[in-house]
Amino acid sequence: MLIGHIEEVVRHPVKSFRGEHVHQTNIMEYGLYGDRSHAYLDDTKKGNFLTITQFPEMVRYKAEFEGEELVEEYPKVKVTTPEGKVFDWQDQALIEEIENKSNREVTTVEYSPSHVPIGPIAVEDILLATDASLDRLKELWGKDEVDARRFRPNLMLSLKDKVPFIEEEWIGRRIRIGAEVELEFVSHCKRCMIITVDPDNAERDASLHKTVNKERNNNFGVYASVIKTGRIHVDDEVHLLD
């Protein structure tokens, strides 16, 4: 059954940095190619990931791959800072900037293109949200706009029938994207303080999290596991399988 099409594909080459919108990419066994494949470690916390939770301004640093998606090695990862400076993600000047702003000691970690473990990604392979749910949340929140980047979905689905939160009813079922890829919805996405951080200026507004908690039992978006790998594109049709 046709339920919609892919409106946006977003991957985050560096964990907690702003992601990049791509027109097409490969779906690997772990999710989007290179999603959260690079990360900064907070050595003041015994090597835990440095994230928006500890350093909200990470949302203002944009990470992008430059080059072809190879299984043998990643393309170069380019980072653009809030001030517009461009660095390689491992450039010592960038690391020093992050350390100075976050008041933490930072090291880097990079995973294989063929396997990114669950830890850096979150708790599942893919995070999906829908346009109807985002629009309804805007009404519930009572603000002019809810930026999808707050929720960091990999896939934004434009629904054929605009039923808010219908994706939560699909948990346990599978979808096919385009001609190859199949995903299975496995759970709700429980939300944390990260959604309170404005992706443009890193300012926090706790009222959004309070709204999601009150109106949606702290759920927004659904996690999915990869069943069949392949290539996906923006505008690919999405079918709900029997």
Side-chain angles (χ1 to χ4, degrees):
M1 178 178 67
L2 177 66
I3 57 172
H5 67 271
I6 297 297
E7 183 176 319
E8 295 180 352
V9 179
V10 185
R11 69 177 168 210
H12 305 81
V14 177
K15 182 176 176 65
S16 274
F17 276 7
R18 182 179 298 178
E20 59 173 341
H21 287 74
V22 296
H23 182 73
Q24 56 184 316
T25 190
N26 287 304
I27 297 291
M28 313 293 285
E29 291 182 354
Y30 58 80
L32 269 63
Y33 174 92
D35 192 46
R36 279 85 167 185
S37 55
H38 300 66
Y40 295 102
L41 300 178
D42 180 359
D43 285 352
T44 63
K45 297 292 185 180
K46 298 182 180 179
N48 290 342
F49 295 113
L50 181 66
T51 71
I52 297 166
T53 303
Q54 296 85 32
F55 180 34
E57 198 173 354
M58 291 184 84
V59 300
R60 301 184 64 211
Y61 287 77
K62 183 177 182 180
E64 304 169 272
F65 283 125
E66 290 189 304
E68 185 180 354
E69 297 181 1
L70 301 176
V71 177
E72 297 79 18
E73 62 179 358
Y74 290 112
K76 179 181 177 181
V77 179
K78 178 182 77 173
V79 172
T80 305
T81 73
E83 295 74 29
K85 297 178 182 178
V86 178
F87 295 98
D88 179 87
W89 86 287
Q90 286 185 308
D91 192 299
Q92 190 58 38
L94 174 61
I95 292 174
E96 289 177 2
E97 176 177 322
I98 293 171
E99 288 181 330
N100 290 334
K101 285 185 175 181
S102 66
N103 293 315
R104 286 169 165 80
E105 294 182 5
V106 172
T107 54
T108 62
V109 62
E110 176 180 333
Y111 299 95
S112 163
S114 61
H115 179 67
V116 177
I118 283 294
I121 299 171
V123 297
E124 267 299 341
D125 302 336
I126 297 280
L127 178 58
L128 180 144
T130 68
D131 57 351
S133 297
L134 193 66
D135 289 343
R136 178 57 179 149
L137 185 58
K138 178 176 70 174
E139 296 174 358
L140 293 171
W141 191 26
K143 299 292 181 75
D144 291 337
E145 183 180 355
V146 180
D147 194 318
R149 292 177 297 170
R150 288 180 180 267
F151 302 95
R152 306 178 74 80
N154 298 120
L155 303 177
M156 180 61 70
L157 175 60
S158 177
L159 293 172
K160 179 183 175 184
D161 299 318
K162 306 298 184 184
V163 180
F165 312 113
I166 186 67
E167 61 273 18
E168 296 179 3
E169 298 180 16
W170 297 334
I171 291 174
R173 300 185 66 180
R174 296 184 181 185
I175 56 172
R176 184 177 68 248
I177 303 174
E180 302 176 310
V181 172
E182 288 188 15
L183 307 178
E184 181 174 328
F185 294 121
V186 294
S187 67
H188 299 88
C189 179
K190 292 289 183 182
R191 290 300 172 173
C192 66
M193 63 74 59
I194 286 176
I195 68 172
T196 71
V197 180
D198 187 303
D200 288 323
N201 57 29
E203 294 179 359
R204 293 185 58 184
D205 185 342
S207 66
L208 177 58
H209 195 195
K210 290 177 180 178
T211 298
V212 173
N213 191 47
K214 176 184 176 181
E215 302 289 345
R216 300 304 309 161
N217 195 29
N218 206 30
N219 298 321
F220 187 82
V222 287
Y223 284 119
S225 292
V226 176
I227 303 302
K228 292 184 179 180
T229 60
R231 196 152 185 87
I232 62 168
H233 311 75
V234 171
D235 293 330
D236 274 349
E237 290 187 351
V238 180
H239 292 259
L240 187 65
L241 303 180
D242 295 331

